[in-house]
Amino acid sequence: MAQLTYRESVSLAIAQSMRKDQKVFFMGEDVGAAGGVFKATVGLLDEFGPERIKDCPISEQAILGAAMGAAMSGLRPIAEIMFSDFLAVCWDIIANQIAKTRYMSDGQINIPLVIRTANGGGSKFGAQHSQSLENWSMAIPGLKVVAPSSPRDVLGLMASSVQDPDPVIFYEHKSLYAMKEELDKTDIEIPLGQANIMHKGNDVLLIGLGLMAQRAKKAAEILKEKFNVDATVLDLRTLVPLDLQSIKREAKKCGQVITVEENPRLCGWGAEISSLIIEHCFKDLKGPIKRITTPHIPLPSADILEDNTIPSVDVIVDETLTKLKIKKEK
Amino acid sequence: MNSKNINDDIGESTRLKLWETMLKLRLTEKKAYDLFLQNLIKGTSHLALGQEAIGATFGVLLEKGDYTFCTYRGHNHTLARGSSIVGVLGELMGRQCGLMRGKGGSMHLTDVENGVMGSYAIIGAHIPIANGTALASQYNKTSEVTVCFFGDGTTNIGAFHEALNMAQVWKLPIVFVCENNLYMEYTAIGDVTAVEHPAADRASAYGMEKIIVDGNDADEMYRISKKAIDKAREGNGPSLIEAKTYRHSGHSRADPGKYRPDEEVKDWVENKDPIKIYRQRLKDFNINETKINSIEEDMIRQVEEATEMAKSSPIPDIKEIYTDVWADGGSEWHN
């Protein structure tokens, strides 16, 4: 048994992949000597040296460009973009180059790389260091989109992402870095495209991702304990590939569906999931699908403002009760 | 000055290869233009007529396994690496015989078998990517060289500067080749650039030598390029070459190039055309004119044959729309 934090599982996951495959290397800003601004890559430079752990200049296009080119010649790079907000700086390399080159080259070129990035709010960093941007990459054909919600999932999904033949954007949640988990095994693989049932119930389906999956799970525990509501919590874990079979099965079983998203309302991933559920499970639904999202705003910084923006456990509980027409007792 | 003896540092057989390669590029692109006029090529296309000496030089110098990256004006560089004429024209015409069977088109020619790692249509994007194959060679301790071609306009985009810095910091085995044809697209590069030589004047900022060469003189291109390639292959880091050249036609199919003074165009086409210069060079070396002409006639025949093959090639199956989005060969994003 080992107790690992989410941040420790990031460096362990990278190390495990690098020990197994000489083709894997890691690059990013302040990732080596400094061990990462979130201390999620501590120890890697000592173990693997500067040829495989590459400290880079503040040049996001150069970082992802080099990662792409290296992947094109058969290496398996893991590149860090310090905050997911900075993906905007190198979005051409991601959306136009990394995502499309396999298709445009008629399959001549493979791009097996992982872009890992710190995503999401909760740190009061304001509008440019707090966004949840999974839906940006979900909209681009050719990318895979992963967002682990626990130390175990970091380990298992990173192992699969590194071995995957396609480019993967790996969204780590800043507010989960300190999360601890007891693990009996660390050398694990979780296939991409396999959602995780975090809580079982028949009354309502809560679909989440990353931090929102963890909050939905806590909400489900409260709903059970205080209101005798049985919720299923489905952590999607990956948006592309998407585990549509699990979504359909659980939506049909529960008949009531709520998506819990950290992103702004418009074009969030919950909209696509809702559309799929309506397309495939309309007759089984007992009511409209509810989407819990942040309002359609840039994220504010002050405690009270941010805390009232990102969906909290209380909000998820309240919205679920409202949807099920259950009165909250005082 | 060129020596009078053709068996100098370049030599007769290399010169004939340069001649043949330049003709391949010139005649294929002229054919592409004709096919446009016949509406057999759709979309857009960016010809590099007049800039052949640069791509041809690297085509002759590079070895199998070396990597090249070029822009949307990349027919020349692709053909120079050994890609087939029918593969290039077929791709422009959207036929099954095209290099990417119609999935990429004129601006994205790719031929990995010949080291052509893609043609990139977002200005500057490929410069950081080219660093990546160079990084892989360094990481694997192998001796391939990466060459990255781009235009003068590219020197004003951020990716260029990020990539040059990183290449020098890591001493990557790469040669950056700026083809300065004096116009970014429709605007004279001098009107929008802070320095006279858009690439070479930036070299010192990245600890690189200032190298300017007459890009229309294949012999000069050959000598300068060989030094840079050797330097990279020996592990001594990147070079930045600025090759002065001129495109005979406009920026793209839609552009008649009216913003350029007639006298300027006339001068470059009549007096500084790389093919004219090299034909005279070979004659000056007393190469038999029959030999010079027979290489040309042979290339005309090859281009005609390739054109007919491309015309008779089937169009792609519409099922191809859904292939190769992901590595399993398909486009499914859910189970």
Side-chain angles (χ1 to χ4, degrees), chain A:
Chain A
M1 291 284 275
Q3 192 183 59
L4 272 186
T5 62
Y6 188 99
R7 66 160 55 80
E8 287 164 343
S9 68
V10 170
S11 61
L12 180 59
I14 296 170
Q16 287 180 160
S17 291
M18 289 184 63
R19 286 171 201 150
K20 281 182 198 155
D21 187 351
Q22 182 66 30
K23 289 194 175 78
V24 181
F25 71 98
F26 176 54
M27 62 195 300
E29 297 159 10
D30 297 324
V31 297
V37 295
F38 294 101
K39 298 295 168 201
T41 56
V42 170
L44 293 175
L45 182 64
D46 287 344
E47 180 174 352
F48 298 102
E51 283 186 9
R52 296 185 71 195
I53 304 294
K54 302 187 86 68
D55 273 321
C56 297
I58 301 173
S59 302
E60 281 82 10
Q61 295 185 82
I63 291 168
L64 292 194
M68 174 179 169
M72 287 163 74
S73 19
L75 297 182
R76 289 182 174 270
I78 304 171
E80 175 180 312
I81 296 299
M82 195 184 281
F83 286 79
S84 64
D85 314 69
F86 307 168
L87 292 172
V89 177
C90 45
W91 198 240
D92 170 52
I93 302 284
I94 297 172
N96 283 323
Q97 314 304 336
I98 288 173
K100 293 180 173 60
T101 293
R102 155 174 290 284
Y103 187 84
M104 293 194 301
S105 73
D106 191 32
Q108 292 180 64
I109 290 174
N110 288 300
I111 306 180
L113 63 79
V114 178
I115 300 165
R116 47 168 294 269
T117 188
N119 189 52
S123 307
K124 284 59 183 183
F125 287 163
Q128 296 177 346
H129 290 72
S130 307
Q131 297 174 83
S132 281
L133 298 175
E134 307 91 331
N135 57 326
W136 285 14
S137 41
M138 189 189 191
I140 311 291
L143 300 177
K144 290 181 177 171
V145 185
V146 177
S149 70
S150 68
R152 183 176 183 278
D153 283 5
V154 167
L155 288 164
L157 294 170
M158 179 63 82
S160 296
S161 297
V162 173
Q163 291 171 60
D164 198 273
D166 289 311
V168 175
I169 319 268
F170 195 89
Y171 290 92
E172 295 159 17
H173 203 292
K174 289 195 266 314
S175 293
L176 292 172
Y177 276 128
M179 177 189 177
K180 288 177 187 163
E181 193 175 8
E182 291 283 343
L183 298 169
D184 48 8
K185 225 175 129 197
T186 61
D187 191 5
I188 52 173
E189 283 177 33
I190 298 170
L192 306 187
Q194 208 173 81
N196 183 32
I197 295 174
M198 299 174 83
H199 196 273
K200 283 185 184 170
N202 293 318
D203 296 336
V204 61
L205 172 61
L206 302 174
I207 303 177
L209 187 74
L211 178 67
M212 293 301 105
Q214 290 296 349
R215 289 194 177 168
K217 184 186 171 198
K218 283 211 182 84
E221 288 162 4
I222 293 168
L223 286 163
K224 175 69 187 163
E225 194 182 321
K226 293 194 178 168
F227 304 98
N228 200 30
V229 169
D230 285 319
T232 286
V233 175
L234 191 66
D235 175 5
L236 294 174
R237 294 204 284 208
T238 68
L239 291 176
V240 182
L242 184 71
D243 186 356
L244 180 58
Q245 298 307 317
S246 293
I247 294 168
K248 276 159 55 176
R249 186 188 62 236
E250 299 304 319
K252 283 178 181 174
K253 187 185 79 185
C254 296
Q256 297 276 20
V257 181
I258 300 175
T259 64
V260 190
E261 305 163 60
E262 195 177 325
N263 40 263
R265 172 87 189 188
L266 295 190
C267 303
W269 55 259
E272 183 60 49
I273 305 294
S274 301
S275 155
L276 285 165
I277 292 171
I278 289 165
E279 190 177 334
H280 292 278
C281 316
F282 186 70
K283 286 181 185 162
D284 301 286
L285 292 180
K286 295 170 191 159
I289 297 168
K290 169 76 190 171
R291 286 181 62 208
I292 303 174
T293 66
T294 65
H296 203 63
I297 53 163
L299 281 175
S301 171
D303 274 345
I304 190 169
L305 300 181
E306 198 205 53
D307 289 345
N308 280 284
T309 301
I310 298 171
S312 63
V313 173
D314 287 346
V315 164
I316 300 167
V317 169
D318 288 352
E319 293 284 359
T320 306
L321 294 175
T322 304
K323 174 156 179 51
L324 299 179
K325 297 188 171 65
I326 295 168
K327 281 195 180 156
K328 193 174 178 182
E329 287 168 31
K330 294 204 174 160

Side-chain angles (χ1 to χ4, degrees), chain B residues 112-133:
Chain B
V112 171
E113 178 66 26
N114 284 303
V116 180
M117 303 305 283
S119 307
Y120 295 78
I122 308 290
I123 297 280
H126 64 311
I127 306 191
I129 301 166
N131 274 345
T133 55

Side-chain angles (χ1 to χ4, degrees), chain B residues 219-235:
Chain B
D219 282 356
E220 291 310 306
M221 267 312 297
Y222 184 91
R223 291 192 173 102
I224 292 277
S225 307
K226 184 168 190 314
K227 265 171 72 178
I229 291 169
D230 289 348
K231 180 185 173 189
R233 210 180 299 284
E234 286 157 13

